[in-house]
């Protein structure tokens, strides 16, 4: 089966060369816009392309305000800060995620609580969150408080794994009941919609990544999707060193971050946004090809939930068992077809090994069975 997968992927991409997991594609106006930026000399945080990129993201996602940042981790850090997460707080998230989710918490002095994911979405499970809170939390004058430690549980951070939206209505209901902020880690899900609404726009804030391996890229970059214009204006202020506008004085009225996206990166993003619909179309076509190939093989291709439209950022397949997973990883990579296991669960990493957590049976099962497959758009 492993060799058949190698041949199938090579046939899709029509090459005998190395096939990466997800490579950027630059067939539009990227060169022209980046060259224009260089010629203007406005390559850093001041320039027209940053504003243009933010407006394009707002128009596409229907977010009231989008604030561009230097990378996705910075976007998530800023979103958590704006949602009121403080040093010493606890934040519920999933152990099945990329480490950046937890790094953002660590560097603001908050601690993760790891809760299981759903088989429906591979993202944070609302039932598991509710069960953890019923057992370990209480509501008092401070809000949601952890019974054992007395720490405030301030937020819930679901991650839309591989671009597949989590069960947001149910998570929102849990957050309302327990007075928790919902901050969406939408790093992987530009172009994904939950019941017709773009991911990252249903929580208080959302954070998107434009790293080189994402569905569109700005080289490095991220964006904060804000729930309203007022929150967006404050987010923009905080992420631009909280400098008060003045013709020449330097006055900053609160602690801020230097998280501004450079104009050079935004120029690349503007060109990429022009071809995003084509990328999405091609990626859905690729996902269907994988789904058809794996039908009846004992390998289960991961499809979008019924309630959602996924960008299929990274295609994934569930292997019959751990041995089949290991063999597939070995054979594909030895033959120049890049595949990868899912990330190690966060509590298995040394810096988060002592974090509080609930039972994680689904997360552990997925960790042992899932492989990501080459997912670059096939035709542009």
């Amino acid at each position: 089966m492993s060799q058949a997968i190698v041949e199938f992927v090579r046939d899709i991409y029509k090459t005998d060369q190395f096939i990466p997991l997800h490579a950027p594609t630059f067939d539009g106006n990227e060169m022209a816009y980046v060259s224009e930026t260089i010629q203007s000399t406005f390559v850093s945080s001041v320039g027209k392309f940053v504003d243009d990129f933010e407006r394009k993201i707002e128009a596409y996602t229907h977010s009231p305000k989008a604030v561009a940042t230097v990378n996705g981790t910075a976007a998530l850090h800023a979103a958590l800060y704006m949602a009121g997460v403080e040093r010493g707080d606890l934040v519920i998230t999933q152990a099945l995620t990329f480490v950046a989710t937890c790094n953002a918490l660590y560097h603001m002095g908050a601690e993760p609580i790891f809760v299981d994911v759903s088989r429906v979405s591979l993202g944070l499970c609302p039932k598991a969150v509710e069960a953890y809170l019923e057992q370990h939390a209480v509501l008092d004058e401070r809000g949601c408080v952890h019974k054992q430690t007395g720490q405030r549980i301030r937020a819930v951070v679901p991650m839309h794994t591989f671009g597949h939206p989590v069960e947001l209505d149910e998570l929102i209901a849990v957050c309302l009941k327990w007075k928790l902020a919902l901050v969406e880690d939408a790093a992987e899900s530009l172009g994904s919609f939950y019941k017709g609404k773009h991911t990252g726009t249903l929580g208080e804030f959302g954070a998107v990544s434009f790293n080189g391996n994402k569905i569109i890229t700005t080289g490095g970059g991220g964006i904060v999707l804000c729930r309203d214009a007022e929150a967006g204006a404050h987010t923009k202020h905080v992420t631009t060193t909280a400098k008060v506008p003045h013709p020449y004085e330097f006055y900053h009225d609160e602690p801020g971050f230097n998280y501004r996206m450079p104009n050079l990166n935004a120029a690349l993003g503007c060109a990429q946004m022009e071809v995003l619909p084509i990328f999405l179309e091609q990626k859905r076509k690729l996902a269907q090809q994988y789904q058809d190939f794996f039908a009846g093989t004992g390998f289960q291709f991961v499809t979008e939930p019924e309630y959602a439209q996924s960008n299929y950022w990274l295609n994934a397949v569930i292997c019959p068992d751990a041995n089949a997973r290991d063999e597939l990883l070995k054979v594909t990579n030895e033959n120049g077809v890049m595949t990868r296991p899912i990330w190690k669960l966060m509590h298995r990493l040394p810096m988060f090994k002592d974090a509080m957590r609930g039972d994680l049976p689904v997360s552990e099962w997925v960790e042992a069975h899932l492989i990501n497959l080459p997912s670059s758009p096939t035709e542009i």
Side-chain angles (χ1 to χ4, degrees):
M1 182 62 186
S2 299
Q3 191 60 44
I5 293 173
V6 170
E7 294 171 3
F8 176 72
V9 173
R10 291 208 171 279
D11 184 60
I12 286 177
Y13 286 100
K14 298 177 175 59
T15 182
D16 58 1
Q17 302 300 308
F18 173 75
I19 299 174
L21 197 64
H22 198 294
T25 300
F26 304 120
D27 285 338
N29 289 312
E30 291 87 357
M31 188 71 73
Y33 293 171
V34 170
S35 295
E36 180 183 338
T37 306
I38 292 171
Q39 290 167 9
S40 76
T41 73
F42 290 100
V43 296
S44 292
S45 57
V46 176
K48 74 168 190 175
F49 283 111
V50 175
D51 291 338
D52 288 351
F53 185 58
E54 290 177 341
R55 299 299 84 76
K56 285 178 183 291
I57 294 292
E58 289 166 4
Y60 183 80
T61 63
H62 296 288
S63 174
K65 178 63 178 175
V67 178
T69 60
V70 69
N71 56 50
T73 305
L76 183 57
H77 189 182
L80 291 163
Y81 176 85
M82 290 299 302
V85 176
E86 298 176 352
R87 182 172 298 277
D89 284 348
L90 300 174
V91 174
I92 294 174
T93 191
Q94 54 203 71
L96 189 78
T97 188
F98 182 60
V99 71
T101 307
C102 298
N103 283 344
L105 294 171
Y106 177 87
H107 288 294
M108 64 192 312
E111 300 174 37
I113 298 175
F114 296 126
V115 173
D116 209 5
V117 297
S118 165
R119 276 291 282 117
V120 173
S121 68
L122 302 184
L124 195 62
C125 177
K127 292 179 180 178
V129 174
E130 175 75 13
Y132 185 90
L133 290 167
E134 290 286 354
Q135 182 177 356
H136 296 285
V138 64
L139 286 171
D140 65 16
E141 66 279 359
R142 291 193 295 156
C144 185
V145 175
H146 196 276
K147 291 179 183 178
Q148 285 75 28
T149 69
Q151 291 170 276
R152 184 179 68 161
I153 305 175
R154 181 65 186 91
V156 172
V157 180
M159 198 271 287
H160 301 294
T161 307
F162 309 138
H164 301 304
V166 300
E167 298 154 278
L168 282 164
D169 282 346
E170 293 82 356
L171 281 173
I172 289 169
V174 173
C175 288
L176 287 173
K177 176 181 176 180
W178 289 91
K179 299 181 180 179
L180 299 168
L182 180 69
V183 176
E184 296 177 64
D185 185 343
E188 304 172 356
S189 64
L190 181 69
S192 296
F193 293 83
Y194 173 84
K195 297 182 179 180
K197 296 180 179 178
H198 197 281
T199 51
T201 65
L202 287 89
E204 291 191 29
F205 296 91
V208 180
S209 171
F210 305 114
N211 188 37
N213 67 346
K214 296 301 187 290
I215 190 163
I216 70 164
T217 184
T218 57
I223 211 155
V224 184
L225 303 178
C226 305
R227 64 184 181 273
D228 56 53
E230 182 179 357
H234 192 194
T235 303
K236 184 75 169 180
H237 181 63
V238 167
T239 56
T240 54
T241 70
K243 184 180 183 297
V244 176
H246 190 277
Y248 49 85
E249 292 286 356
F250 287 90
Y251 183 74
H252 308 258
D253 60 357
E254 62 178 302
F257 308 104
N258 187 10
Y259 279 173
R260 299 168 289 187
M261 175 183 283
N263 198 42
L264 200 63
N265 298 81
L268 191 64
C270 285
Q272 290 269 286
M273 281 299 293
E274 293 173 354
V275 291
L276 174 60
I278 300 174
F279 290 168
L280 289 166
E281 179 183 350
Q282 291 301 323
K283 288 175 73 63
R284 292 188 69 82
K285 176 183 175 182
L286 175 61
Q288 186 62 57
Q289 289 175 293
Y290 275 129
Q291 186 174 355
D292 293 343
F293 173 80
F294 284 111
T297 64
F299 289 75
Q300 180 187 354
F301 181 71
V302 177
T303 58
E304 64 194 0
E306 291 183 358
Y307 54 75
Q309 180 177 327
S310 174
N311 66 4
Y312 282 102
W313 169 58
L314 281 188
N315 291 297
V317 65
I318 301 292
C319 301
D321 52 50
N323 289 334
R325 185 201 76 147
D326 292 346
E327 181 188 0
L328 180 53
L329 285 167
K330 181 176 185 294
V331 171
T332 51
N333 284 285
E334 285 179 349
N335 285 273
V337 173
M338 182 183 280
T339 59
R340 287 291 182 267
I342 202 166
W343 319 281
K344 286 190 180 296
L345 299 182
M346 291 298 99
H347 68 284
R348 302 196 197 284
L349 303 181
M351 57 282 200
F352 302 119
K353 63 182 177 63
D354 297 323
M356 288 180 277
R357 62 182 183 269
D359 294 331
L360 303 171
V362 177
S363 302
E364 292 168 351
W365 183 85
V366 172
E367 181 189 36
H369 289 79
L370 187 141
I371 285 178
N372 287 124
L373 303 163
S375 301
S376 307
T378 55
E379 302 171 23
I380 301 299

